[in-house]
Amino acid sequence: QEGLKQCLAELRQQLAWVERLDVTLGPVPDPVSQSASASDAVDPENDFQREMSFYRQAQAAVLEALPRLRKLQVPTRRPDDYFAEMAKSDQQMQKIRQKLKSKQEAMERSEKAKQLRAMRKYGKKVQVEILQRRQKEKKNMLNAVKKYQKGLSDKLDFLDEEQTASQGNKKGSASQRTKKGPNAKRRYKNQKFGFGGKKKGSKWNTKESFNDVSSFQSKVAHNKGPGKGGRGGKGGKKALNKRPGKRARQKMKNRAR
């Protein structure tokens, strides 16, 4: 202890306070208890109490030193045009800036890829739902057609449903682009000069004529009606006993000779 005091006396310099700026004080009173807590009252294992003790001690030093500095006319505020050189060089700061930029770009790419995966997953889910719905509608349509062909049903409601669904899907696109029927000028010319229309291919099958099965008769199509080879009809085995052709009769005459 005596040696420490001797070393302290050698290191101590008898300078003015403005050259030393040392302040040794206790902490300010605690605003909660309105009393200054002693050093033994602070639990060193408690981080909050320890940091608050340091903070209140520094606060007491500022409250003591700041008026003394103002009294000595020592400026305590940094001027607006104060320029302090950075501790790191420009090259080091450039490396740090490039690293931060590359890290930000990597995060943006990762976020964009995550969004694309989510959109792709959602699109695939929607596509699967649409395909399943179409397969279900197709299956119901085929079952209705089979029932109609076998004569188990005489309703054609499934055709109306299909046409309504197709018209509903195209309503937002085709119906907005095209008008229903010709305009007034075209109707006047058709009335005055007649409607020439399309000559070539006029008897070709169209989508409307292909979908129109109103004249379809299941009994006639499956040889169940009268005159189509049944037991009571004109066809069948009796229809096979008819007069042979001219060439067959000629051959029969030649054989008879």
Side-chain angles (χ1 to χ4, degrees):
Q1 187 176 2
E2 295 295 334
L4 291 176
K5 290 182 178 180
Q6 184 179 357
C7 291
L8 180 61
E10 293 176 358
L11 294 174
R12 182 178 297 173
Q13 297 179 2
Q14 299 297 330
L15 300 175
W17 178 82
V18 71
E19 298 293 339
R20 293 180 287 110
L21 296 179
D22 55 341
V23 179
T24 305
L25 293 172
V28 296
D30 190 0
V32 178
S33 61
Q34 298 295 330
S35 63
S37 60
S39 59
D40 56 350
V42 179
D43 185 7
E45 300 297 333
N46 192 336
D47 296 340
F48 179 75
Q49 290 184 3
R50 188 175 64 252
E51 294 297 330
M52 282 302 298
S53 177
F54 293 157
Y55 170 75
R56 286 189 282 109
Q57 189 173 4
Q59 188 179 8
V62 170
L63 294 175
E64 175 69 21
L66 193 60
R68 296 175 64 178
L69 290 174
R70 291 177 179 174
K71 186 176 181 180
L72 296 172
Q73 296 182 356
V74 177
T76 58
R77 293 179 61 87
R78 188 180 67 180
D80 298 336
D81 58 348
Y82 178 78
F83 176 76
E85 188 176 356
M86 297 181 62
K88 296 182 180 295
S89 61
D90 293 342
Q91 295 179 356
Q92 183 70 16
M93 294 302 298
Q94 189 69 18
K95 290 181 181 179
I96 295 174
R97 196 176 293 110
Q98 291 292 338
K99 187 175 181 180
L100 292 175
K101 185 178 180 181
S102 60
K103 187 176 181 180
Q104 184 179 2
E105 290 177 354
M107 292 178 63
E108 290 178 356
R109 287 196 300 267
S110 177
E111 188 67 23
K112 188 175 181 180
K114 188 184 297 183
Q115 292 179 359
L116 288 175
R117 286 195 298 269
M119 292 176 62
R120 193 180 296 112
K121 186 177 181 180
Y122 178 74
K124 187 179 293 185
K125 181 180 178 181
V126 173
Q127 186 177 7
V128 169
E129 291 178 355
I130 292 175
L131 291 176
Q132 290 178 353
R133 187 182 63 193
R134 289 180 179 176
Q135 290 177 0
K136 185 177 180 181
E137 292 177 356
K138 184 178 180 181
K139 185 177 180 180
N140 296 336
M141 178 77 175
L142 292 176
N143 292 336
V145 171
K146 287 180 181 180
K147 289 182 181 180
Y148 184 80
Q149 289 177 349
K150 291 179 181 180
L152 300 177
S153 175
D154 56 350
K155 297 181 180 180
L156 299 175
D157 299 338
F158 54 90
L159 294 178
D160 298 337
E161 293 178 359
E162 183 184 5
Q163 292 177 0
T164 305
S166 62
Q167 291 177 0
N169 295 333
K170 297 180 180 179
K171 185 177 181 181
S173 58
S175 62
Q176 294 179 359
R177 293 194 301 267
T178 58
K179 297 181 180 180
K180 295 181 180 180
N183 54 13
K185 185 177 180 181
R186 183 72 268 169
R187 289 197 301 269
Y188 172 74
K189 288 188 176 182
N190 291 341
Q191 183 180 2
K192 184 177 181 181
F193 302 105
F195 179 72
K198 185 179 179 181
K199 299 296 188 300
K200 186 177 180 180
S202 59
K203 295 184 178 181
W204 287 356
N205 197 5
T206 59
K207 182 178 180 181
E208 289 76 10
S209 63
F210 177 77
N211 293 330
D212 185 12
V213 292
S214 58
S215 61
F216 177 77
Q217 298 180 3
S218 60
K219 295 182 179 179
V220 177
H222 295 282
N223 297 326
K224 294 183 180 180
K228 293 296 181 180
R231 292 183 178 180
K234 297 181 180 179
K237 295 182 179 179
K238 293 183 179 181
L240 297 176
N241 298 328
K242 59 182 180 180
R243 184 183 181 188
K246 183 177 180 181
R247 184 172 295 180
R249 296 197 306 270
Q250 189 68 28
K251 288 182 178 180
M252 292 172 63
K253 288 181 181 181
N254 294 334
R255 290 175 184 175
R257 291 179 184 177

